């Protein structure tokens, strides 16, 4: 197997990642999985929020500038099951 050379940038990224895991108190695979689930959740929520802003034409708290009859009508909790 050929070893790849690690670039200084990649080495710095790994160092920052290890620091993040230590600060979060993550020291096993279960902790990494939980962190990953939280990251995916945050990315999806932010993406959907941005998509809604784009669709409606105004941001969450800028309802005075909306130019549509369509509006935000609240949230309900949803569960997403993945493997």
């Amino acid at each position: 197997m050929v070893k790849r050379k690690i670039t200084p940038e990649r080495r710095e990224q790994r160092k920052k990642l290890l620091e993040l895991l230590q600060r979060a108190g993550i020291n096993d695979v279960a902790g990494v999985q939980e962190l990953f689930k939280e990251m995916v959740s945050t990315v999806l929520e932010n993406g959907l929020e941005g998509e809604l802003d784009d669709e409606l034409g105004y941001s969450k708290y800028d309802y005075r500038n909306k130019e549509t009859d369509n509006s935000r009508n609240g949230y309900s909790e949803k569960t997403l099951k993945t493997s």
Side-chain angles (χ1 to χ4, degrees):
M1 180 181 283
V2 178
K3 281 191 168 185
R4 292 183 289 164
K5 292 185 178 179
I6 299 174
T7 64
E9 293 83 14
R10 183 71 175 153
R11 187 173 283 118
E12 186 63 28
Q13 287 175 341
R14 285 183 180 185
K15 181 180 173 184
K16 288 179 181 179
L17 179 58
L18 289 174
E19 288 173 4
L20 170 69
L21 293 174
Q22 287 176 345
R23 281 194 310 255
I26 297 173
N27 53 10
D28 60 2
V29 174
V32 172
Q33 288 177 331
E34 187 62 33
L35 177 63
F36 184 72
K37 285 181 359 184
E38 290 176 29
M39 288 172 47
V40 169
S41 173
T42 300
V43 167
L44 287 175
E45 287 175 17
N46 289 340
L48 290 171
E49 189 68 37
E51 186 177 353
L52 187 59
D53 289 350
D54 188 53
E55 177 68 25
L56 295 177
Y58 67 97
S59 62
K60 189 171 186 174
Y61 299 107
D62 192 26
Y63 58 88
R64 290 185 181 100
N65 292 323
K66 75 177 191 170
E67 297 174 5
T68 178
D69 291 334
N70 198 354
S71 63
R72 298 167 190 267
N73 58 359
Y75 292 90
S76 59
E77 188 170 312
K78 316 251 184 330
T79 302
L80 177 65
K81 295 182 181 181
T82 64
S83 59

